[in-house]
Amino acid sequence: MEGQRNSGVEILRIICMFGIIFMHTFGIFYDEVSGIYLMAGIAINSLFNMGVSVFMLISGYYEIHFSLKKLVRLESTVLFYSVCGMLLQGAVCGEWSAGAVVKAFFPISTRHYWYMSVYMILFVFSGYINGILDKINKKTFLTVIGLMLLFFSVMPTFTYFEIMGDNGKGVANMLLMYLIGRYIRIYNVKIPIKN
C-alpha cells in the first residue's frame, strides 16, 4: 500500500539518526584525541557522515511534495528549536552574540542548520524537479545522475578539488541523493542480496 510504512526504511532512518548523534557527540572531542582514538574518530565520521545523504535518498524515494502548509509548519518547527537552542546556550554560557541571535531567528537563510536549509530549497523546488523527472527517459535520467556523481563526488574525492566548496553538504549533493532515490523508486531498482 502507498501510505503504509516500510519497516526496513524506518530501521534505516533510526540507525542514521543514532549514527549522526554519535558522530556529533564524538566530534566534541575530535581535537582532543590522538593515535587510536583519532583513527576511531575518523572511522566513525566516515561511516556515519553518510546519514544525512541517506535521509535525502529516502526523501527522493518517497518524493517530496510541496505545500504552503507544510512549508510554514517546517519553518516554524526549525525556528522554534533554533530559538530554544540559542536561549539554552545563552543560559548555560551566560552570553549571546549578535551573530548567534541572527542565526537563531533566521536559521534557514543563514544555513544555521545546513541540512534544513538545503531541504527547504529542494522542498520549494520539488514540484519542478519532480515534473522534469516525470518527462525525461531512463537514459537521460541515468546520464544526469552519472554526470552529477562525476562532478560532485568522484572528482572531489580523487582530485581534492571541490567545485561547490560545501564539503558535500549543499544543494548539488543533496539533489544528487534525491535523484538517486527517485530513480530507485521510478524504475523499481532491486538490490540483489544473497543469503
Side-chain angles (χ1 to χ4, degrees):
M1 297 179 83
E2 192 69 30
Q4 191 174 2
R5 291 204 178 255
N6 181 323
S7 59
V9 172
E10 296 305 314
I11 290 169
L12 180 60
R13 282 182 178 168
I14 290 167
I15 290 169
C16 288
M17 280 187 260
F18 279 116
I20 291 166
I21 291 166
F22 189 67
M23 180 185 68
H24 282 287
T25 302
F26 187 84
I28 296 168
F29 308 104
Y30 207 68
D31 294 333
E32 315 281 321
V33 297
S34 61
I36 189 88
Y37 298 109
L38 181 59
M39 288 170 48
I42 292 169
I44 289 166
N45 189 50
S46 298
L47 179 63
F48 294 124
N49 208 341
M50 70 177 136
V52 289
S53 297
V54 172
F55 284 142
M56 189 55 72
L57 189 131
I58 292 169
S59 293
Y61 183 81
Y62 286 110
E63 193 174 43
I64 298 172
H65 296 280
F66 177 81
S67 81
L68 191 56
K69 184 178 176 181
K70 283 184 188 176
L71 178 71
V72 170
R73 190 172 66 222
L74 189 58
E75 177 71 35
S76 301
T77 302
V78 174
L79 181 61
F80 173 78
Y81 284 107
S82 181
V83 171
C84 287
M86 180 213 45
L87 293 173
L88 182 63
Q89 185 176 4
V92 171
C93 299
E95 61 182 52
W96 287 284
S97 69
V101 172
V102 169
K103 283 185 174 186
F105 281 95
F106 301 97
I108 301 296
S109 58
T110 61
R111 275 184 59 109
H112 187 47
Y113 303 110
W114 73 267
Y115 183 80
M116 291 310 303
S117 297
V118 169
Y119 185 89
M120 195 69 84
I121 290 168
L122 293 178
F123 182 73
V124 168
F125 286 96
S126 62
Y128 303 106
I129 295 166
N130 297 332
I132 291 168
L133 297 180
D134 289 341
K135 289 179 175 44
I136 63 174
N137 61 36
K138 187 176 182 179
K139 184 179 177 184
T140 303
F141 203 151
L142 267 178
T143 302
V144 169
I145 289 173
L147 287 171
M148 289 183 76
L149 275 169
L150 176 67
F151 285 109
F152 303 126
S153 293
V154 175
M155 286 175 58
T157 300
F158 293 105
T159 65
Y160 302 104
F161 175 74
E162 191 181 6
I163 295 168
M164 300 305 289
D166 59 12
N167 296 319
K169 300 194 180 335
V171 174
N173 283 285
M174 292 299 109
L175 175 59
L176 172 59
M177 292 292 100
Y178 183 82
L179 294 180
I180 292 170
R182 289 303 310 136
Y183 183 87
I184 291 169
R185 182 63 179 259
I186 291 169
Y187 296 105
N188 200 22
V189 176
K190 302 287 185 198
I191 300 169
I193 300 171
K194 294 183 179 179
N195 293 329

